Amino acid sequence: MDITIRRIEPGEYGPLGELTAQAYLRGDLLDFGEEDPYLEVLRDVAGRAAHTEVYVAVDEGGALLGGVAFVPEPGPYADVAGPGEAEFRTLAVAEEARGRGAGEALVRVCVDRARALGRARLVLSTQSAMHTAHRVYGRMGFVRTPDRDWSPIPSVPLLTYALEL
C-alpha cells in the first residue's frame, strides 16, 4: 500500500476525529465507553490543529488511514514534554489500515519534525494496553521512561517513552 503523510486539511477534521474516537472505542481504551468525556477531546481535531501540527496518513486514493498531533514544544497541548522536547499525541490508525505501516509513518514524521526543530528528544504517553504501538516505538528506538509515567485520572495510568534525537 502506498501511504502519503501530509498536514491535515480542514475538511478532514471531522473524519479524523471520528476515526480517532472509533480507534479508542474499538480498542476498549476508554473507561466509560460511549459516555467517556475524553471522546470529545479525541473528536476535537480542529482544536488540536489550532495549537499543534496535525498530520494524516492517506492511501493512493486519498482515503484517510490515520492521524497524529505533533506538539513542537511544552505548552497547553503537551502532556509530558519539557524544555527542549517535542511530543506527539492522539496517534490513531483506522482498524482496516492497521499493519500496513501508517502508524509508523506518522511517528516518523513527528521524529523528523522534532529533529528539524532542534529538539533534544521526542516524548509520548501511551496506555499499557497499546501493545502494538509499544512495539512500533521500540523498533524506532524509543525507550521507556517510567519516572515520567502519570495519570490524567486515577483509573488511567499512562506509560511514557522518549527518543533521544
Side-chain angles (χ1 to χ4, degrees):
M1 171 181 275
D2 194 20
I3 298 171
T4 299
I5 306 298
R6 60 169 171 73
R7 290 289 289 262
I8 194 166
E9 298 171 2
E12 295 168 319
Y13 291 171
L16 180 59
E18 195 54 36
L19 182 155
T20 305
Q22 290 306 313
Y24 276 68
L25 283 168
R26 290 182 181 151
D28 200 26
L29 300 170
L30 299 170
D31 283 356
F32 306 106
E34 292 279 355
E35 303 303 315
D36 200 297
Y38 194 56
L39 275 172
E40 184 177 325
V41 175
L42 295 173
R43 287 183 171 124
D44 185 19
V45 176
R48 283 195 292 284
H51 300 282
T52 69
E53 298 174 16
V54 177
Y55 292 91
V56 293
V58 296
D59 68 13
E60 60 276 358
L64 187 62
L65 305 175
V68 68
F70 172 74
V71 185
E73 60 192 4
Y77 275 80
D79 286 328
V80 295
E85 296 178 332
E87 180 172 344
F88 68 86
R89 299 184 54 184
T90 59
L91 173 66
V93 175
E95 192 170 358
E96 62 275 10
R98 292 191 183 148
R100 298 180 183 167
E104 188 168 332
L106 287 162
V107 174
R108 283 202 188 289
V109 79
C110 294
V111 171
D112 292 346
R113 286 292 298 133
R115 280 194 176 119
L117 293 170
R119 301 299 181 252
R121 73 193 53 77
L122 179 61
V123 297
L124 66 102
S125 300
T126 181
Q127 292 183 18
S128 59
M130 296 177 167
H131 304 293
T132 301
H134 302 166
R135 285 191 296 275
V136 170
Y137 304 147
R139 271 197 319 268
M140 296 181 72
F142 285 82
V143 296
R144 279 277 293 118
T145 52
D147 56 310
R148 297 173 80 163
D149 291 355
W150 65 290
S151 296
I153 60 173
S155 63
V156 181
L158 296 176
L159 309 177
T160 59
Y161 285 76
L163 177 68
E164 296 295 323
L165 302 172

